[in-house]
Amino acid sequence: MQTKSLYIASLEPMAGSLFVTVGMMELLKRRLGKVAFFRPVIERDQKKDEDIVFMLEHFSLDMMYDQTYGLSVDEVETMVAENRFKEGIEFLIGKFKNLEEQYDFVLCEGLNRTVFNTTMDIDVNLILAKNFRAPFISVLNGRNKKAKELFEEIRIEERNIKNEGTVHFATFVNRLDQNVLEKLKKKITARSNKNVPTYMLPENSELDKPSVADVMRKLGCVHIFGSKKDLNRVVQQSRVAAMTVENYLTYIEEGDLIIVPGDRTDIIIGTLAAVYSRNYPHVAGILLTGGIVPNAAMMQLLEGLNVFPVPILSFSGDTYTAAMQVNAVPSKIRPHSDRKIALAMGLFSAHVDAEQIEARIDSASASDIVTPSMFEFMLFEKARSERKRIVLPESNDDRILQAAEILLRRDVADIILLGHPETIQHRSSMMGLDISRAEIIDPETSSELMANFVQTFFELRQSKGLQFDAAQDAMTHVTYFATMMVYTGMADGMVSGAVHTTGDTIRPALQIIKTKPESSIVSSLFFMCMDTRVLVYADCAINLDPDAAQLAEIAISSADTAIAFGIEPRIAMLSYSTGTSGQGEDVEKVREATRIAREKRPDLLIEGPIQYDAAIDPDVARQKLPNSSVAGRATLFIFPDLNTGNNTYKAVQRSSGAIAIGPVLQGLNKPINDLSRGALVADIVNTVAITAIQAQNSDKL
């Protein structure tokens, strides 16, 4: 799939990320119909983000302002401090995905790294680009730096981007001295790694100068005279007029912003005379200080001029303050800065290979990165698209109540809780939770429902020797009662195990729900959410030592589950031996299981027996199985027994920081899923979402 987005950001201020963003938007707009602009994080204390306003106005983007940004810096820093940054990432992914669905392309611009609190040890831009699956454009500030220093900075940046797991599209080095540019170009040309192009742009003094409009906005001045279009004049330097007119005139230069007290009418008249004289340079404007404006006679004089090419501003502060603040005004490219925009685009076109960039956009595939946040977002979106009713029988556990609130607030599923309504409501209120939308059923007081369930269960198991009183006793257990709700269609799925054992969850399911016609066993899998991809491990929770036929069935069931969750199954049948290199009973079991699975499902990519390193590492795969379509790129790992699978998933989870979602049960006619008794609230939320998606797929069969 071709990429539909790019993410542009710089490490430091004044690097020119907006300049690069404008250039890239020009390229995109001439090729694509609908392009969106997105700023995931905006600065604090801004009424409206200036870059967003510029992009919307200059490119006439068909967007509302609220669509163009996600969070403020303050919100992000608070979330990081409170260990809730994952929540922020999920929110931003949602906003970004909405734009991706509505537009042909999404161009993102991040804030420079220094805007964020120095105590933060994460690069927000790289993390967001990875979670958006957007190739990254890095912008470096080359001003006052040597070629050797910049070359090393480029290499460090490339390593950082690669280590984060983000796709690196290009590097722009901006604001370069011409001599440094030539030296850096030689270093870049000579290096061996040319996969990521580097574009070098020279410094331009005019682009680095503020306009009169920039000064007016930054100092809060009032525009008292002159044409608005003249506010775009570039301020080359500021000059305080403190001398008499005859002496002052000898000092003015082209592009000066004259700073003078508002009662110095002699300087104002002298400046106007200089403007109309061919013998003096043209000033950019006049800034009157002290909040003093020309008197009525002076204003009448000004109004009598047919053409008045110099803007006059009024500043409430004193002359010294004005001079200090004017010198600190940064240069900005604004929607109506026609001269600056034309100059910037000319500079971009002259030094950037537009055809190369367009070719890279066309050839760049959307990153196959799947982060844990992206996977969880997909789960919630898919579950939300066709909401199902999921019963949670363990309402006496606080984690279940917390998860229920999250699920209801995010519209992931409709929740049914089992227990005493007053007890549940009281407990949730004490915890500050709102579960008012949940349906609460008390098995002990639902006599008619209980009687129907007992009778149905008795009829289902009578042939197995079940006595009626045993059926009554079974139905007093909440897991049996909840499973019967799923069987009768009162609920679409059940999640249990926070308090109960795996046996307590699976036993009622096997007796009541039963396995699918094509399944002889119930098996399980875990979604292992690594930093940049999601792998599937099976069976790590249920079957102690499956035989070859059962192992083949586990592989096929797991492949179908993976497909249902958007993961392409490339199946590795794991063993301690790869290919034909080893012998033994355990290896032969895996070899036979591979043969059976291939025979039953020739449409699946299956390799076995294969060792874990050969299955996941391309370099090892090239040595051990060079012609395999699975080796080195496996996504689904079938473990030969419970001992191996359970220990491996826990070892990977604890040593790599991977998020293990599961176990997800498969092979049942209707979805029932088990929780670990050490499950976190997030684990419960994810498992309910998975159960809801399984229920959606069951309806389609």
Side-chain angles (χ1 to χ4, degrees):
M1 184 176 64
Q2 186 179 346
T3 185
K4 289 184 60 181
S5 60
L6 288 171
Y7 195 114
I8 300 170
S10 60
L11 287 176
E12 53 190 322
M14 307 300 289
S17 60
L18 177 62
F19 168 51
V20 175
T21 302
V22 171
M24 293 301 299
M25 182 63 85
E26 285 275 359
L27 294 179
L28 292 167
K29 286 286 284 183
R30 74 189 191 194
R31 305 171 71 247
L32 300 168
K34 295 182 66 179
V35 182
F37 177 70
F38 186 52
R39 203 137 204 228
V41 185
I42 60 175
E43 286 197 57
R44 54 175 73 86
D45 300 330
Q46 284 194 351
K47 291 181 180 179
K48 281 198 174 181
D49 183 271
E50 292 180 347
D51 286 14
I52 292 176
V53 171
F54 175 86
M55 298 298 287
L56 289 177
E57 291 188 26
H58 179 69
F59 291 104
S60 301
L61 299 180
D62 183 21
M63 299 179 71
M64 300 296 289
Y65 180 81
D66 289 347
Q67 291 179 281
T68 61
Y69 73 94
L71 300 168
S72 70
V73 170
D74 290 335
E75 289 173 315
V76 170
E77 290 178 346
T78 298
M79 286 178 170
V80 171
E82 296 176 355
N83 200 27
R84 294 189 297 113
F85 187 44
K86 179 183 171 185
E87 175 186 323
I89 291 175
E90 290 175 353
F91 171 76
L92 293 173
I93 289 174
K95 293 210 72 168
F96 174 80
K97 289 294 182 184
N98 285 336
L99 293 176
E100 249 191 346
E101 291 172 2
Q102 298 176 50
Y103 294 86
D104 300 323
F105 202 96
V106 184
L107 185 64
C108 304
E109 184 196 7
L111 290 174
N112 74 76
R113 181 70 175 82
T114 61
V115 171
F116 297 94
N117 193 313
T118 55
T119 61
M120 287 174 56
D121 59 354
I122 59 173
D123 190 317
V124 173
N125 290 312
L126 287 181
I127 291 172
L128 293 179
K130 177 174 67 176
N131 278 280
F132 294 168
R133 299 170 78 170
F136 191 81
I137 294 177
S138 180
V139 184
L140 305 182
N141 188 349
R143 193 177 190 189
N144 299 325
K145 294 179 182 177
K146 295 180 180 179
K148 182 179 179 181
E149 178 185 355
L150 285 167
F151 183 68
E152 186 59 31
E153 195 172 325
I154 290 168
R155 294 175 61 187
I156 291 171
E157 184 74 341
E158 286 179 350
R159 285 197 298 270
N160 289 341
I161 294 169
K162 182 179 180 181
N163 291 340
E164 187 61 48
T166 306
V167 174
H168 194 175
F169 185 87
T171 297
F172 283 78
V173 187
N174 204 10
R175 311 190 69 182
L176 287 165
D177 175 82
Q178 191 62 45
N179 183 46
V180 173
L181 188 150
E182 296 300 328
K183 291 180 179 179
L184 183 60
K185 186 181 292 185
K186 290 180 181 178
K187 288 180 174 289
I188 296 293
T189 304
R191 72 173 183 165
S192 57
N193 178 21
K194 299 176 183 178
N195 294 328
V196 179
T198 301
Y199 302 105
M200 289 157 278
L201 300 106
E203 176 78 289
N204 182 283
S205 59
E206 185 170 334
L207 287 177
D208 195 38
K209 304 291 185 181
S211 66
V212 177
D214 291 331
V215 172
M216 184 179 76
R217 288 186 179 91
K218 188 68 176 179
L219 275 66
C221 300
V222 178
H223 181 204
I224 62 172
F225 224 86
S227 171
K228 284 188 177 181
K229 68 178 182 180
D230 288 321
L231 291 173
N232 289 324
R233 288 176 173 270
V234 174
V235 177
Q236 296 293 343
Q237 58 274 321
S238 62
R239 194 169 302 278
V240 175
M243 301 176 179
T244 58
V245 175
E246 60 269 22
N247 291 320
Y248 150 72
L249 288 175
T250 63
Y251 284 94
I252 61 173
E253 295 181 10
E254 189 77 23
D256 275 353
L257 176 66
I258 307 302
I259 303 174
V260 62
D263 56 359
R264 289 291 302 272
T265 55
D266 58 329
I267 295 294
I268 298 174
I269 293 173
T271 304
L272 294 178
V275 168
Y276 282 98
S277 172
R278 296 180 180 178
N279 297 326
Y280 284 90
H282 290 283
V283 299
I286 303 173
L287 192 156
L288 305 178
T289 64
I292 306 170
V293 298
N295 59 28
M298 188 68 190
M299 292 298 287
Q300 188 175 5
L301 172 66
L302 296 175
E303 289 167 356
L305 298 173
N306 292 329
V307 179
F308 193 83
V310 177
I312 299 181
L313 308 178
S314 175
F315 175 63
S316 60
D318 61 73
T319 303
Y320 175 79
T321 301
M324 295 296 292
Q325 291 188 10
V326 167
N327 288 334
V329 173
S331 173
K332 296 281 187 180
I333 300 179
R334 301 189 185 279
H336 304 294
S337 305
D338 296 332
R339 293 180 63 235
K340 274 193 175 184
I341 293 170
L343 180 61
M345 289 303 92
L347 195 67
F348 189 90
S349 299
H351 293 86
V352 175
D353 189 339
E355 291 185 0
Q356 184 187 39
I357 285 182
E358 289 176 343
R360 282 182 66 78
I361 291 173
D362 290 337
S363 63
S365 298
S367 167
D368 58 0
I369 288 171
V370 180
T371 66
S373 292
M374 290 167 64
F375 187 69
E376 289 179 357
F377 178 84
M378 180 277 293
L379 291 180
F380 298 155
E381 287 296 293
K382 196 170 180 64
R384 191 183 293 118
S385 67
E386 186 185 342
R387 224 163 50 236
K388 295 296 181 181
R389 289 160 56 85
I390 307 301
V391 58
L392 306 177
E394 301 167 313
S395 61
N396 57 331
D397 190 287
D398 289 348
R399 293 167 295 169
I400 296 294
L401 297 179
Q402 290 172 301
E405 181 189 52
I406 293 170
L407 290 160
L408 291 168
R409 286 194 168 189
R410 300 191 65 163
D411 288 328
V412 174
D414 294 326
I415 300 299
I416 304 171
L417 297 170
L418 299 188
H420 301 289
E422 290 184 4
T423 302
I424 294 172
Q425 292 289 5
H426 176 69
R427 182 60 188 165
S428 63
S429 296
M430 286 181 62
M431 296 172 64
L433 304 175
D434 177 13
I435 57 167
S436 57
R437 288 171 52 201
E439 181 181 357
I440 302 175
I441 297 176
D442 186 357
E444 293 183 7
T445 60
S446 304
S447 55
E448 185 176 343
L449 202 56
M450 178 67 78
N452 289 337
F453 284 178
V454 169
Q455 184 62 37
T456 302
F457 183 51
F458 172 68
E459 291 172 0
L460 284 172
R461 303 293 294 174
Q462 187 177 14
S463 61
K464 302 291 185 180
L466 180 70
Q467 299 297 313
F468 190 80
D469 57 349
Q472 288 179 310
D473 181 63
M475 215 47 59
T476 60
H477 296 275
V478 287
T479 51
Y480 272 91
F481 190 92
T483 304
M484 189 59 74
M485 290 182 68
V486 176
Y487 178 78
T488 59
M490 289 185 64
D492 299 302
M494 180 191 84
V495 173
S496 180
V499 177
H500 295 88
T501 66
T502 297
D504 290 333
T505 300
I506 294 179
R507 192 178 305 109
L510 290 173
Q511 293 176 357
I512 299 169
I513 303 295
K514 300 180 181 178
T515 58
K516 296 176 181 177
E518 68 274 16
S519 300
S520 64
I521 59 170
V522 173
S523 60
S524 73
L525 60 77
F526 283 88
F527 292 110
M528 301 296 293
C529 298
M530 309 295 188
D531 190 40
T532 58
R533 56 182 168 173
V534 177
L535 304 177
V536 181
Y537 286 6
D539 176 358
C540 304
I542 303 296
N543 294 285
L544 185 63
D545 188 16
D547 59 29
Q550 291 173 327
L551 205 57
E553 186 177 316
I554 292 170
I556 292 169
S557 295
S558 300
D560 289 337
T561 301
I563 292 169
F565 286 88
I567 299 171
E568 180 187 355
R570 294 188 289 271
I571 307 169
M573 307 292 286
L574 297 176
S575 176
Y576 59 76
S577 171
T578 296
T580 58
S581 64
Q583 303 294 324
E585 183 179 341
D586 292 336
V587 177
E588 291 306 318
K589 180 180 80 168
V590 175
R591 186 172 286 119
E592 176 63 10
T594 304
R595 183 194 66 77
I596 295 171
R598 284 173 174 166
E599 187 177 281
K600 287 187 174 182
R601 290 290 298 275
D603 58 307
L604 296 174
L605 294 176
I606 307 174
E607 186 65 69
I610 184 172
Q611 292 162 287
Y612 191 93
D613 60 348
I616 200 168
D617 190 320
D619 293 332
V620 176
R622 277 190 287 272
Q623 297 177 17
K624 295 187 175 183
L625 281 177
N627 299 317
S628 172
S629 56
V630 172
R633 51 198 296 267
T635 57
L636 173 51
F637 299 81
I638 308 300
F639 292 93
D641 54 62
L642 184 61
N643 182 50
T644 307
N646 193 268
N647 277 299
T648 302
Y649 106 77
K650 287 180 177 177
V652 171
Q653 178 188 26
R654 299 302 178 188
S655 60
S656 71
I659 297 174
I661 301 177
V664 179
L665 303 187
Q666 52 194 11
L668 292 166
N669 277 312
K670 292 189 176 184
I672 304 289
N673 277 309
D674 181 38
L675 296 167
S676 163
R677 274 170 284 179
L680 302 175
V681 172
D683 299 329
I684 299 168
V685 171
N686 289 333
T687 303
V688 171
I690 287 171
T691 307
I693 295 169
Q694 287 179 308
Q696 293 172 358
N697 292 323
S698 294
D699 291 346
K700 296 169 186 175
L701 297 178

